[in-house]
Amino acid sequence: MSDAAQLSTSLRRGTLEFCVLAMVEREDCYGTEIVRRLGAERSLATTEGTIYPLLSRLRRVGWLNSEWSESPSGPPRRYYTLTDSGRAALAHFRTEWVSFRQTVDRLVGIGEQ
Amino acid sequence: MSDAAQLSTSLRRGTLEFCVLAMVEREDCYGTEIVRRLGAERSLATTEGTIYPLLSRLRRVGWLNSEWSESPSGPPRRYYTLTDSGRAALAHFRTEWVSFRQTVDRLVGIGEQ
DNA sequence: TGAAGCTACCTTGCGGTGCAAGGTACCATG
DNA sequence: CATGGTACCTTGCACCGCAAGGTAGCTTCA
């Protein structure tokens, strides 16, 4: 893997799952759709090999529910919805993220140049 | 480990090493000093078990150099200095980080509330 | 002088998570 | 009925933060 890709990979850790939660909060989604939308964000582009295990994990800890739904064309889709505890986790992340981001900004000196 | 700690742990990934580089850029440091300074930052507090392997890694990839130096009181210290390629890596991270941070802000909806 | 305590360094083994690679099955189209 | 697209999922690996544990030098003070 290239250095640049590896940098993004590390950065993704810990935020990716909450980006997925936020995406589902806005609108119920299915797996392939999530992969596609994240693919549009350079810093968060990822693959099915990441997303499907991640979605299983989020279901297992009770932050997402899912139900099967027919597709207008193609195989059935598993749509995900945010649970109450998922909503709470997302809220907690939002405050944690703001504080984390500010700390990093200060330490690496973003805004000084 | 508590949920809150685990959240920070994941977030640290990929940024911690650059916070260390930035710290060394500002002023040459030794291991214990770095642990202490990071300890003052809630989101980045960590332990020797994280920092020493990390410093070895940064030396191995050539982003840091080190030299031993007597302590005014206590055992000798290994002081780290930033190499040219370390400086370049840090510069690259700074631009990558800004873009990453903005993407996450937008996706999780920071600034909308 | 020698024992207790601090400082500073380092290693081992585990756990979590992103990813490449590979696989199954359903549907549409010609 | 074969081909290709869509959608799901799993296996095994690599990386990195961390808890726990360990070595050794220096200082202090009885």
Side-chain angles (χ1 to χ4, degrees), chain B residues 5-7 23 27 30 40-42 45 47 52 55 62 68 79-80 89 91 110:
Chain B
Q6 206 159 16
L7 175 55
M23 209 175 266
E27 179 189 11
Y30 62 98
E41 312 288 343
R42 198 184 60 81
T47 69
Y52 283 111
L55 288 170
W68 287 93
Y79 274 87
Y80 291 88
I110 302 290

Side-chain angles (χ1 to χ4, degrees), chain A residues 24-91:
Chain A
V24 172
E25 180 189 44
R26 197 165 293 184
E27 180 189 11
D28 294 358
C29 294
Y30 62 98
T32 301
E33 191 180 10
I34 292 175
V35 173
R36 226 165 14 225
R37 288 193 187 169
L38 288 174
E41 312 287 344
R42 197 184 59 81
S43 319
L44 289 171
T46 186
T47 68
E48 302 185 333
T50 296
I51 290 303
Y52 283 111
L54 189 158
L55 288 170
S56 299
R57 202 161 59 239
L58 295 178
R59 240 184 315 154
R60 203 165 52 241
V61 301
W63 291 354
L64 289 181
N65 275 332
S66 77
E67 50 189 24
W68 287 94
S69 167
E70 293 299 313
S71 162
S73 83
R77 300 163 173 173
R78 190 201 277 272
Y79 276 86
Y80 291 89
T81 59
L82 198 58
T83 65
D84 285 348
S85 87
R87 208 172 299 272
L90 184 52

